[in-house]
Amino acid sequence: MATPKHSYEQHQPNVQQVKNSGIISCSQSPRRDDKEQEMSRSALVAMFRVKEEEIERRKMEVRDKVHAHLGRVEKETKRLAEIKEELEGLTDPMRREIAIVRKKIDTVNKELKPLGQTCQRKEREYTEALEVFNEKNREKAQLVTKLVELVTESERLRIKKLEELSKNIDTLH
């Protein structure tokens, strides 16, 4: 299974390629620019979907592991309760063993509480990280849109200026 860092590094070249294609497309024709921009957006969307699917898959894996662990703990608690009942039915020589089992139950209960809190905290952290991730994606999309608008306006102004210069040259002849 890939670690989050490893997964991120696998997708990093794709981001660089998208950035490079955006820089190259600024100097090309508007039609190719639109096509390349659409391809860049498609690549970004696909990359983000892959990342979101990876996050969701990992979230489900963690959730499944926690549920499995909680199920095992519940079974162990039931087993310990049965053992406790059997020990209570025995005569006095078994009190020592009963005390040992009770201590083990207390220990398991003490370990179980922080595990539950850790699960809740990790789920909160995941939710917060996902919100930040989505906000940054929205911000990036807005910036890309603004960049496209600026490049388009710049090209339009340059063409207009070239046409004016061409007219001036024609009037000189």
Side-chain angles (χ1 to χ4, degrees):
M1 181 169 93
T3 63
K5 183 175 183 181
H6 182 68
S7 178
Y8 173 76
E9 289 169 353
Q10 287 175 342
H11 295 292
Q12 192 63 27
N14 293 338
V15 171
Q16 191 61 41
Q17 289 171 358
V18 170
K19 287 180 183 175
N20 288 343
S21 71
I23 292 169
I24 292 169
S25 70
C26 292
S27 63
Q28 294 176 353
S29 70
R31 285 185 191 154
R32 292 183 78 187
D33 186 33
D34 288 345
K35 289 179 183 177
E36 289 180 4
Q37 183 65 30
E38 186 61 36
M39 288 173 33
S40 296
R41 284 186 182 167
S42 296
L44 286 172
V45 167
M47 187 175 61
F48 291 135
R49 279 192 192 129
V50 168
K51 286 182 181 181
E52 286 177 3
E53 289 171 3
E54 176 69 15
I55 289 169
E56 188 63 30
R57 184 184 62 75
R58 288 188 184 166
K59 178 182 173 184
M60 295 305 290
E61 286 176 2
V62 169
R63 193 174 278 161
D64 290 345
K65 286 180 184 178
V66 168
H67 287 299
H69 185 68
L70 289 175
R72 288 191 301 269
V73 169
E74 287 176 3
K75 287 180 184 178
E76 291 297 319
T77 302
K78 288 178 184 177
R79 281 185 54 217
L80 290 174
E82 292 171 3
I83 291 171
K84 180 180 174 183
E85 287 179 13
E86 290 177 15
L87 288 175
E88 287 175 353
L90 297 177
T91 59
D92 285 344
M94 298 301 289
R95 285 188 186 231
R96 185 172 148 196
E97 286 80 9
I98 291 172
I100 292 170
V101 171
R102 284 184 178 162
K103 286 181 182 179
K104 288 181 181 180
I105 290 171
D106 291 339
T107 303
V108 168
N109 282 335
K110 287 178 185 176
E111 293 172 356
L112 186 60
K113 184 178 179 180
L115 286 174
Q117 292 171 343
T118 300
C119 289
Q120 290 174 349
R121 188 185 80 236
K122 294 285 184 185
E123 193 166 297
R124 256 191 328 272
E125 289 174 0
Y126 168 78
T127 303
E128 292 169 1
L130 185 60
E131 288 173 6
V132 170
F133 177 77
N134 288 335
E135 181 60 33
K136 290 296 178 184
N137 281 338
R138 284 190 291 276
E139 183 180 345
K140 181 180 179 183
Q142 290 172 349
L143 291 172
V144 167
T145 302
K146 181 67 174 178
L147 177 62
V148 169
E149 291 172 4
L150 290 173
V151 168
T152 302
E153 181 64 19
S154 174
E155 288 177 356
R156 188 186 63 77
L157 291 173
R158 288 185 351 209
I159 289 172
K160 184 178 176 181
K161 187 67 174 180
L162 284 172
E163 288 173 357
E164 289 174 7
L165 289 173
S166 178
K167 286 179 185 178
N168 286 341
I169 290 172
D170 288 343
T171 59
L172 291 176
H173 289 289

